[in-house]
Amino acid sequence: MNKNHYVAIMAGGIGSRFWPMSRTGFPKQFLDILHTGRTLIQMTYDRYKEFIPVENIFIVTSKEYADIVHKQLPELPVQNILSEPSRKNTAPCIAYVSHKILHINKEALLICAPADHLILDAPAFSKVCLDAFGFVKSINALLTLGIKPTYANTGYGYIQHEAMPVADNIYQVKTFTEKPNLELAKTFLASGDFLWNAGIFVWKVKNIVKAFEKFLPEMNEVFVAEQTYFNTEEEAEALERIYPQCTNISIDYGIMEKADNVYVLPASFGWSDLGTWNSAYENMEKDYFGNAVAGKNVMVIDATKNVVHADDKKLVLLQGLDDFIIVDTKDVLLICKKDKEQEIKDYVAEVKRNKGDKFL
C-alpha cells in the first residue's frame, strides 16, 4: 500500500438504461445486477481496496445517495463519501475531488473511475493500475486505460493511439471518437490502433488541476475561490455555492480531447461498462438455451436467449419468447426486445410524460 495512491469512485449517475430495476432513488450502481451477492459499487470498492489504502478511497455521489453508500460500504470512513449538490457530469466531480485531495496530499496520484463497471480479472486490473501510477508519478501525463476491442461495439467510445510506445505499453493518444456507427467501428477494429475508452483515468492530482487551469479556467477558479473550506465543516456549504457556477461537461470533452499530454495504457482485464441489459446478459450465467436468469422462482419454457430479472419471492413463468429483456419489479413490468435496448431511455422519457415520476 502506498500512501500517495488514491481513487475517486464516481457514483452519481441514475442508470436509466437499466430501468425499471434502476430507479432515480436507487440507481444501478447500488444494485446486484449480475446476481452475484454484491452490488456494483461494492464490487468496485472491493477491487480498489486490494491496492489502495481504505482511507484514500473516496466515493463521489449525489447527496441523495450518500446514505445508500454508507449502508453498502460501512467500513469506508464517512468523511470519504463526498456529496455533490447537483449532477453536473464528470468534470466538476473530478475538479471537486482533485482540489480536496490536493489539500490533503500534494504528491497524490489519483484514479478516477465509474462505480458501475464490471472487471472480471481483478489481479490483472491491480497490476495495470499500479503500472499507470508508476508512469504518471514522474511525468506530467493524463493517462486513460484503453481496452483491446474484441468486436465492433457501437456503444463505446474509441481511442486512437500512436504506433510507437513512449514507455512500456503506454502510447500517446491521437484521437477520441464517441460511439461510432457500425461501419466506422469495424474500420477501427481492423486498423489495430484503436481501443475502447474505459473511462478510467490516472494522473498526479496537481497535474489534473493544471489541466483545469488551462482548459476549464472558469470552473477551476470557482473551486479555487472556495478551497479554504475543503476538509472543514463548511465544505458542504461551499459546494452549494460552487456547483451552480459549474458548466455541465464531461472530463472527456472538457479536458481529455483538448490536452496534448494524454496517453493510453492498453489492457485486458475482462472489462464491461455494464451500460445496457445486453452487456449484463453477456456477463451472466446462462442455461442450456442461452437464458440469463436472476430470480429463484423463474421458470422458462420454450424460450431462448432472454435476460430475466425478477424478485426471488415471485413466480415468473416465461413461455415462447426469444431474445427479450424481461424485468419484473414490484410496480413495473418491462418486456422489451433485446435489439431495442438502446431505446429504453426513450421509453423512460415516455413514461415520465404520461405517468409522471411515480414509476421512475
Side-chain angles (χ1 to χ4, degrees):
M1 296 287 181
N2 187 316
K3 63 181 176 59
N4 291 334
H5 291 174
Y6 289 76
V7 62
I9 299 171
M10 298 178 285
I14 58 174
S16 59
R17 285 181 293 178
F18 271 97
W19 182 86
M21 194 174 174
S22 178
R23 302 295 182 92
T24 304
F26 208 93
K28 73 165 181 172
Q29 59 267 30
F30 307 120
L31 300 171
D32 181 7
I33 293 282
L34 300 177
H35 216 54
T36 63
R38 295 288 277 173
T39 66
L40 295 180
I41 195 171
Q42 287 172 332
M43 292 168 71
T44 302
Y45 172 80
D46 292 344
R47 280 194 298 277
Y48 286 109
K49 74 176 183 180
E50 290 300 310
F51 62 96
I52 291 178
V54 170
E55 63 271 20
N56 291 0
I57 299 175
F58 289 84
I59 309 288
V60 191
T61 191
S62 179
K63 63 180 179 182
E64 67 215 77
Y65 304 146
D67 287 343
I68 303 174
V69 174
H70 182 56
K71 286 176 184 174
Q72 294 203 356
L73 301 173
E75 65 271 44
L76 187 71
V78 69
Q79 65 269 24
N80 287 30
I81 302 171
L82 310 185
S83 300
E84 293 183 287
S86 58
R87 292 186 184 89
K88 289 293 185 80
N89 216 317
T90 52
C93 166
I94 290 171
Y96 169 28
V97 72
S98 298
H99 278 279
K100 182 178 175 68
I101 291 173
L102 193 62
H103 278 262
I104 299 169
N105 183 348
K106 295 285 191 292
E107 297 304 311
L109 308 174
L110 177 65
I111 298 172
C112 293
D116 52 5
H117 287 187
L118 174 69
I119 289 166
L120 297 174
D121 190 343
F125 179 71
S126 297
K127 182 183 183 305
V128 166
C129 290
L130 291 171
D131 289 346
F133 276 143
F135 179 71
V136 302
K137 180 181 179 182
S138 55
I139 182 173
N140 182 1
L142 309 179
L143 183 66
T144 182
L145 302 189
I147 307 300
K148 295 169 185 175
T150 53
Y151 65 103
N153 189 305
T154 58
Y156 294 157
Y158 284 73
I159 300 168
Q160 184 185 28
H161 60 79
E162 299 287 358
M164 297 301 293
V166 297
D168 186 26
N169 197 37
I170 293 174
Y171 301 80
Q172 186 146 21
V173 170
K174 288 169 71 174
T175 62
F176 287 89
T177 304
E178 266 302 301
K179 298 179 181 177
N181 61 38
L182 185 59
E183 288 308 309
L184 197 53
K186 287 178 178 177
T187 303
F188 289 170
L189 193 67
S191 75
D193 61 352
F194 282 82
L195 302 164
W196 287 336
N197 184 1
I200 300 171
F201 307 104
V202 190
W203 38 53
K204 201 164 197 174
V205 169
K206 63 183 179 184
N207 289 332
I208 190 62
V209 170
K210 285 179 186 174
F212 273 99
E213 290 172 358
K214 183 174 182 180
F215 298 109
L216 293 171
E218 292 178 357
M219 182 184 296
N220 191 68
E221 286 165 12
V222 176
F223 282 93
V224 169
E226 302 280 356
Q227 64 186 356
T228 55
Y229 299 110
F230 290 140
N231 305 305
T232 75
E233 291 181 357
E234 297 172 72
E235 183 173 309
E237 289 180 22
L239 292 175
E240 294 286 353
R241 295 189 292 269
I242 291 169
Y243 267 68
Q245 301 179 67
C246 290
T247 51
N248 187 325
I249 189 169
S250 71
I251 196 73
D252 300 77
Y253 288 124
I255 291 178
M256 301 300 281
E257 294 182 12
K258 298 173 183 174
D260 58 8
N261 60 332
V262 179
Y263 299 84
V264 63
L265 194 166
S268 180
F269 37 69
W271 172 88
S272 169
D273 77 341
L274 281 186
T276 63
W277 281 112
N278 265 323
S279 60
Y281 172 82
E282 289 165 8
N283 291 286
M284 292 169 68
E285 288 187 18
K286 300 169 191 68
D287 66 16
Y288 182 76
F289 297 101
N291 297 297
V293 174
K296 290 181 179 177
N297 288 302
V298 176
M299 296 175 63
V300 181
I301 301 168
D302 298 329
T304 61
K305 299 179 183 176
N306 299 292
V307 55
V308 188
H309 252 275
D311 191 285
D312 287 342
K313 297 175 184 176
K314 189 177 224 177
L315 172 64
V316 174
L317 194 150
L318 177 66
Q319 188 278 331
L321 291 182
D322 301 309
D323 287 301
F324 271 81
I325 299 162
I326 301 101
V327 185
D328 189 39
T329 71
K330 67 180 185 297
D331 59 347
V332 176
L333 170 63
L334 171 71
I335 303 171
C336 173
K337 287 288 286 184
K338 276 160 65 181
D339 62 7
K340 296 291 184 184
E341 66 164 4
Q342 294 291 346
E343 296 174 32
I344 288 178
K345 288 182 84 168
D346 299 331
Y347 304 153
V348 171
E350 192 69 19
V351 170
K352 184 178 177 70
R353 277 193 296 271
N354 286 277
K355 303 291 181 181
D357 294 335
K358 179 181 178 182
F359 298 105
L360 305 183

